[in-house]
Amino acid sequence: MFARAPEHRNIVVLGSTGSIGTQTLDVVRQNPERLSIVGLAVNSSVQQLCDQAVEFGVEHLAVAQAQPMQKREILTQALASRAKEQGKALNPYIACGPDAVLELCRMPEVDLVVNALVGAAGLRASYEALRAGKVLALANKESLVVGGDLLIPMSTHETLLPIDSEHGAIYQCLLGENPAEVRRLWVTASGGPFRGKTRADLANVTVEQALNHPTWKMGSKITIDSSTLMNKGLEVIEAHHLFAMPYEKIEVVVQPQSAIHSMVEFSDGSVKAHLGTTDMRIPIQFALSYPERWQAPVEPLDFRTLGSLEFAAPDTDTFRCLALARAAGSRGGTLPAAMNAANEVAVAAFLAGQCSFLSIADAVEAAMDACDVQPVESLEQLEEVDVRAREAAAAYLRNQSRLA
Ligand code: MG
């Protein structure tokens, strides 16, 4: 007998207006008899949040950024009357601030939390969801990069499901396998928009060029991370935690078509690969349907028209962020937290036109050098490391722009 998913799941979506969030809602739209949304959280997109609340009949709403009390009341009333116009009885409550987001994770009726928040801010929500005994469907890879040492002991294979396409792929390749028989994990990378370029080519690239990802359509932070290969570095650390795999057994291979989402190599030389179209609703739905698979209206992969699949080693001299992340992961402790925080600052600065593309890696390295690496002990400690690394990265970038 195959294991069955619970007949119905109540879910909370954190980051519901982002790329993963809206695609999660798409999956719920396709499966209304199996999934209900009972809470939605956004960073600041209040109007879009209200649209989603009306459509899915969601009463518990959280906005991470503080809002004036008056605005909240107007929004709540407008929301209730819009729902009424559509013949729906809705008694919404909009709470604001970071704690409001955490509160959603703790609601007793919640079975599963989709964490699609951006950046290190997602860690506390992951922590609260697991602490409250919820299944965590995790798209916020920074949670594991920063706090993997805290989250993994709180979770099991059944309560922590990755939404990242590579990790969803590896998770599926490992189903029914003995972890002791795994020789290597192969994490695939598209190579991003600058694949094949040299450092000299990258000196003057624009934000627009970096945002032009060849295969995946995603939010701006992760798209820049994909262009620097930092995203792949974060994913190596994520894989280390999720699959209890030492770093020397995790390889990165460039697969420009993104048809292979990752692979697992076993001790007898067999390799299992996960393939599919580049549609994030596949890994999202798997995390929500596990241990079942449900029908999905995605474009099937047609091997007759796929053409050739290419493979190459990543160029870590040009894309230093991948090497830096791997070094941070291998050293472990609080260093990945510092590395990640510095990267968030540097990516924000690049997006704002305040630093060059190549400075992102330099700022990350400067903050890593300044980090006094300790074993991970608590969320509070990680938040302090985060603050210090942000200051170190910002100071580096300020200095650099003064010299330029
Ligand atoms: Mg990925």
Side-chain angles (χ1 to χ4, degrees):
M1 268 306 282
F2 294 105
R4 300 296 307 270
E7 242 163 56
H8 194 89
R9 276 177 165 145
N10 285 332
I11 75 172
V12 160
V13 184
L14 310 180
S16 63
T17 56
S19 170
I20 296 292
T22 52
Q23 293 181 85
T24 301
L25 266 50
D26 247 354
V27 171
V28 175
R29 229 175 248 125
Q30 295 296 332
N31 296 280
E33 67 296 340
R34 290 161 160 152
L35 301 167
S36 299
I37 300 176
V38 295
L40 290 168
V42 298
N43 183 43
S44 59
S45 313
V46 181
Q47 214 49 57
Q48 211 184 335
L49 171 73
C50 290
D51 294 343
Q52 294 177 340
V54 171
E55 181 187 349
F56 291 92
V58 186
E59 298 190 327
H60 299 278
L61 307 169
V63 183
Q65 284 188 5
Q67 306 285 325
M69 201 47 163
Q70 204 186 1
K71 186 179 170 196
R72 260 159 77 176
E73 277 165 18
I74 295 167
L75 277 169
T76 308
Q77 282 168 13
L79 184 52
S81 57
R82 264 180 62 197
K84 204 174 167 190
E85 278 166 27
Q86 297 185 18
K88 297 174 187 170
L90 197 65
N91 187 17
Y93 180 74
I94 305 177
C96 297
D99 284 346
V101 179
L102 305 181
E103 204 52 56
L104 291 183
C105 302
R106 300 188 201 106
M107 294 193 304
E109 65 268 40
V110 175
D111 302 308
L112 183 147
V113 175
V114 175
N115 184 351
L117 297 171
V118 176
L123 171 59
R124 205 169 261 276
S126 291
Y127 185 89
E128 286 302 324
L130 289 171
R131 199 166 68 148
K134 314 301 186 191
V135 175
L136 175 63
L138 188 61
N140 174 260
K141 64 191 78 187
E142 292 87 347
S143 287
L144 284 175
V145 170
V146 175
D149 290 343
L150 295 178
L151 296 183
I152 293 301
M154 301 168 73
S155 68
T156 68
H157 187 71
E158 310 288 315
T159 61
L160 177 51
L161 284 136
I163 281 183
D164 218 341
S165 65
E166 294 80 358
H167 305 80
I170 292 169
Y171 188 100
Q172 293 180 52
C173 290
L174 287 172
L175 287 174
E177 300 288 353
N178 179 351
E181 293 167 0
V182 174
R183 190 187 283 163
R184 274 188 290 193
L185 306 181
W186 288 92
V187 179
T188 52
S190 71
F194 303 136
R195 181 173 59 90
K197 300 273 191 249
T198 63
R199 281 183 68 76
D201 295 333
L202 297 181
N204 295 310
V205 297
T206 63
V207 171
E208 198 185 10
Q209 288 168 319
L211 284 175
N212 186 23
H213 194 273
T215 51
W216 294 99
K217 209 180 150 350
M218 306 173 289
S220 58
K221 160 72 167 55
I222 185 172
T223 306
I224 300 300
D225 283 347
S226 297
S227 72
T228 62
L229 293 201
M230 175 55 92
N231 183 52
K232 216 43 59 179
L234 300 178
E235 289 181 353
V236 166
I237 300 174
E238 194 185 2
H240 160 78
H241 286 294
L242 275 172
F243 307 114
M245 204 54 62
Y247 284 96
E248 58 274 19
K249 290 186 169 186
I250 307 174
E251 300 286 351
V252 172
V253 60
V254 175
Q255 206 290 287
Q257 292 79 18
S258 297
I260 299 182
H261 298 151
S262 277
M263 300 177 275
V264 177
E265 178 183 328
F266 296 93
S267 48
D268 64 353
S270 297
V271 180
K272 281 165 93 173
H274 178 282
L275 288 83
T277 35
T278 50
D279 187 328
M280 279 308 292
R281 289 173 300 180
I282 301 174
I284 293 169
Q285 179 170 301
F286 183 79
L288 302 181
S289 72
Y290 178 81
E292 295 176 4
R293 290 184 191 276
W294 300 338
Q295 293 283 344
V298 295
E299 197 65 37
L301 195 60
D302 187 342
F303 290 95
R304 293 162 302 190
T305 56
L306 190 58
S308 57
L309 293 178
E310 298 164 73
F311 300 93
D315 174 1
T316 48
D317 293 328
T318 302
F319 300 97
R320 293 178 57 233
C321 283
L322 174 56
L324 288 169
R326 194 182 260 283
S330 302
R331 175 74 171 83
T334 52
L335 191 54
M339 181 273 300
N340 177 71
N343 181 57
E344 287 186 21
V345 167
V347 170
F350 174 69
L351 282 169
Q354 291 161 356
C355 77
S356 72
F357 184 78
L358 292 174
S359 304
I360 298 174
D362 297 340
V364 169
E365 188 172 34
M368 281 172 63
D369 287 344
C371 177
D372 170 26
V373 184
Q374 301 291 333
V376 172
E377 282 160 8
S378 67
L379 283 179
E380 292 68 30
Q381 171 212 27
L382 287 170
E383 282 164 2
E384 274 172 37
V385 169
D386 182 283
V387 169
R388 275 201 300 274
R390 280 172 202 273
E391 286 166 1
Y396 175 87
L397 292 173
R398 268 199 311 276
N399 250 329
Q400 207 194 31
S401 68
R402 210 174 294 142
L403 295 174

